């Protein structure tokens, strides 16, 4: 599911990242409340000023342990 979240974030990589964006995308990739809570618990902290593309890369590097 985190891969799907990172892919969704990459759709508009220059947009600024925000908690509302994260919550909306989590709900889009996993509409079940229990899965949403699990994904939110696994997601890293959003750095101020980060873009969606940067946050997608952070998920891939830190949580999914995918190297470039």
């Amino acid at each position: 599911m985190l891969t799907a979240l990172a892919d969704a974030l990459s759709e508009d990589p220059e947009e600024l990242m925000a908690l509302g964006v994260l919550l909306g995308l989590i709900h889009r990739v996993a509409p079940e409340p229990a899965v949403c809570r699990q994904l939110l618990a696994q997601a890293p902290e959003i750095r101020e000023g980060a873009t969606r593309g940067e946050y997608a890369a952070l998920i891939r590097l830190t949580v999914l342990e995918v190297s470039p």
Side-chain angles (χ1 to χ4, degrees), residues 29-63:
V29 301
E32 304 84 20
V35 178
C36 287
R37 284 191 295 275
Q38 180 184 13
L39 287 175
L40 192 56
Q42 293 175 333
E45 182 179 335
I46 301 170
R47 183 182 55 81
E48 187 175 335
T51 64
R52 288 173 57 159
E54 291 169 339
Y55 192 70
L58 181 64
I59 288 173
R60 288 187 173 103
L61 291 171
T62 62
V63 179

Side-chain angles (χ1 to χ4, degrees), residues 11-35:
E11 291 173 2
D12 195 3
E14 298 302 316
E15 183 180 323
L16 286 179
M17 189 60 204
L19 182 58
V21 171
L22 179 61
L23 293 174
L25 290 174
I26 284 177
H27 182 70
R28 186 173 97 185
V29 301
E32 304 84 20
V35 178

